[in-house]
Every structure is written in C-alpha cells, then in structure tokens.
Amino acid sequence: MKQAILISGYKNLKHIKQIIDFFNDDFVFYIHIDRKSKLLESELLEINRNRKVAFFSRKYITNWG
C-alpha cells in the first residue's frame, strides 16, 4: 500500500534528502520549499528528480511561527 508524506521546508536540504532515502518505494513525497528560502536551484533540482517525489513546489511564501 502506498503512503504519502508531506514535507514543508525552508532550509537544510541534506536532512530532507536523508528522510526521502530512509523510506522505501512504498512512500511518495509531496514537498513544498518556502519561496523565501535561499537554497541553490541545483540542490532543489536534485530533490525534484528523485523518483519518490511526486510533487515539488516553491510557489508560496510561508510565514513561520
């Protein structure tokens, strides 16, 4: 049975990659990275290319706290 995981992030893409790699192929990921984040496009593309990532977005600004 497929399971979905939603991740809303701002920084620390290394940790997001570790989370994705931890789960097996029965899991799909829906990821939103805050548009205000100062992450490199190459890092974002690397995550988006992962076969477990079903949806990736930077469309919205997120207010934290």
Side-chain angles (χ1 to χ4, degrees), residues 2-3 17 20-31 44-56:
K2 286 280 188 181
Q3 300 287 323
K17 290 178 200 173
I20 293 170
D21 291 339
F22 176 79
F23 290 94
N24 63 26
D25 290 338
D26 291 334
F27 292 83
V28 293
F29 292 84
Y30 296 82
I31 301 173
L44 298 173
L45 284 174
E46 184 179 339
I47 287 182
N48 194 22
R49 288 186 191 133
N50 190 307
R51 59 183 164 72
K52 295 180 198 173
V53 176
F55 179 78
F56 185 85

Side-chain angles (χ1 to χ4, degrees), residues 1-2 4-5 7 12 15-16 29-30 32-33 36 40-41 43 46-47 50-51 60 64:
M1 177 169 67
K2 286 280 188 181
I5 297 176
I7 297 175
N12 201 353
H15 188 75
I16 293 173
F29 292 84
Y30 296 82
H32 177 265
I33 301 295
K36 295 182 290 186
L40 299 175
E41 289 298 320
E43 293 175 315
E46 184 179 339
I47 287 182
N50 190 307
R51 59 183 164 72
Y60 302 102
W64 297 87

